[in-house]
Amino acid sequence: MDQFLSIETFDQWRDQARELLAREVPPAEVHFDTRSDQPSLFDNDDAQTGPADQRHVRNAVAKVPKSFLDLAKIVACHQSPARWELLYRTLWRLTHGESSLLEIATDDDVHELQQMSKAVTRDVHKMKAFVRFRLVESEAEETYVAWHRPDHRIVRLAAPFFSRRFKAMNWSIFTPWESVVWDQKQLRYGAGVPASEVSDEDSLEELWKTYYASIFNPARVKVNAMKREMPVRHWKTLPEASVIEDLLDEAPRRVSEMIEKNEGFAETATNYMPTESDLASLKVAAECCQACDLHRFANQMVFGEGPRDAKIVLVGEQPGDREDLEGRPFVGPAGQLLDECLATAGIRRDEIYITNVVKHFKFTERGKRRLHKKPDSREIFACRPWLEAELAAIGPTTLVCLGATPAQALFGRDFRITSGRGSLRPTEWCQRTIATWHPAAILRMPDPARKSQMIENLVSDLVTAVA
């Protein structure tokens, strides 16, 4: 007999799925509907089932990989009404003889889940980029508000980022689906609101418009690229977007003035040429980056390299001496060792994307030699947007951190490569992220036996990444 269930949140689906599994209800007999009047089940109340039922539920859930639960929490934020039935069907298969299902990328259900996950993850990145806070006058403490229209229900995924970035502010973000309030202590979630309930103008907006106009470079205008990275539907929620049309109209005149006055136009002329891909545009833009002092001493910026549709992305720490001279990542001794390990693991280098957390070579001069010097946290933070933009453009299936610096940048500063190496974990940028040794660290290892073991570890971790 078919069952029709009303589901709104991941927690509601999780509890219903537990009960369905305990009663051995097959996916074909379950149909989920979405509505907002269901009570929240965030408390995970076990009183809904008796002791015997609950025992069966726990036994069923114990067989589910953590990677599926992490994936399900993201997919649950997708707008598709089919998500709940897809999740339950996958859960049923995982607990009924297909425990390795998620490793089969070509499976229709797995592929659809991954596509939904990527769509939600991209939407989270867009929210981080497009949300603009506006000051609201109040007799109490200053409060900042923002209204955003995401494609999916991603507020709970994105809110922790804003609480870390704007920790010392009182702010609220409103979307049509849900709202979140931060009082410098905790995040509180509520119902969504329409755009009409958020005021249009204030002094903070005007300040942002002035800033945006001051940094606008008419020689870099690519309207199609702007629409790809800043969709037109978001323009009306961004303060700076209201001045875009005026700035575009003025661009030809301002370009002419730059040519006549020779104010750095030679440096920006190449940026005016059309590009073939988002990654190419990012590389051109990164060549002008002066966010930290490393650009003053390095020969050139070394951007990532590889196909736009790469399934695997390798992230190192920074370019070395040879990379700084040639302008390509991993072409020196460490790169040669990496190539050997990739070949042993059965991975073609031309099918993966390779980049670094920091794009300029940091070094200490010893006579005629330039010796590697580890970048500090400020330099890593300054370069981080480029890495995040690369990952957002590619959307890899697996992310490999080569060494402690990229691992701590993506997993957190408490991550230790000696204890955390070799295990797949979800991160904000990829559901399958793994850390391993950096080839340069292997080359510096004086103990031959230890060096051989590290090479075996690196190859093994690369094989895990491909699996």
Side-chain angles (χ1 to χ4, degrees), residues 19 28 30 100 106 123 140 152 196 244 277 301 359 419 450 457:
E19 184 176 349
V30 181
S100 300
T106 55
D123 205 26
H152 305 286
S196 59
I244 288 178
S277 68
M301 181 278 304
K359 308 302 185 189
S419 58
R450 176 59 174 157
N457 292 156

Side-chain angles (χ1 to χ4, degrees), residues 122-131 148 228-229 231:
R122 284 195 297 268
D123 205 26
V124 171
H125 284 295
K126 295 294 185 183
M127 182 171 179
K128 293 176 182 178
F130 298 151
V131 163
H148 179 68
R228 283 197 304 269
E229 296 305 316

Side-chain angles (χ1 to χ4, degrees), residues 330-385:
F330 285 91
V331 293
Q336 294 171 11
L337 176 58
L338 177 62
D339 287 344
E340 295 173 5
C341 292
L342 287 170
T344 304
I347 302 174
R348 291 177 51 182
R349 175 160 174 160
D350 61 357
E351 293 182 346
I352 63 176
Y353 189 85
I354 303 180
T355 189
N356 287 291
V357 173
V358 174
K359 308 302 185 189
H360 288 97
F361 179 34
K362 184 176 182 179
F363 58 90
T364 299
E365 290 185 306
R366 296 284 178 83
K368 295 183 178 180
R369 299 178 61 196
R370 299 190 302 172
L371 302 181
H372 163 275
K373 186 175 181 180
K374 185 176 180 179
D376 58 36
S377 58
R378 182 180 60 83
E379 292 156 347
I380 294 172
F381 181 79
C383 219
R384 186 185 185 95

Side-chain angles (χ1 to χ4, degrees), residues 246-259:
D246 292 339
L247 293 174
L248 290 176
D249 290 340
E250 295 178 3
R253 177 185 58 79
R254 294 180 64 180
V255 169
S256 299
E257 291 178 358
M258 291 173 68
I259 297 175

Side-chain angles (χ1 to χ4, degrees), residues 227-246:
K227 290 181 178 178
R228 283 197 304 269
E229 296 305 316
M230 186 191 295
V232 175
R233 60 188 171 81
H234 288 302
W235 286 18
K236 61 184 178 182
T237 68
L238 302 179
E240 67 269 34
S242 63
V243 299
I244 288 178
E245 291 187 3
D246 292 339

Side-chain angles (χ1 to χ4, degrees), residues 12 17 24 34 201 217 269 299 328 374 385 427 438 443 458:
Q12 292 171 354
E24 288 292 317
T34 59
E201 294 291 336
N217 188 335
N299 285 320
R328 297 179 56 209
K374 185 176 180 179
T427 59
H438 195 291
L443 293 176
L458 175 54

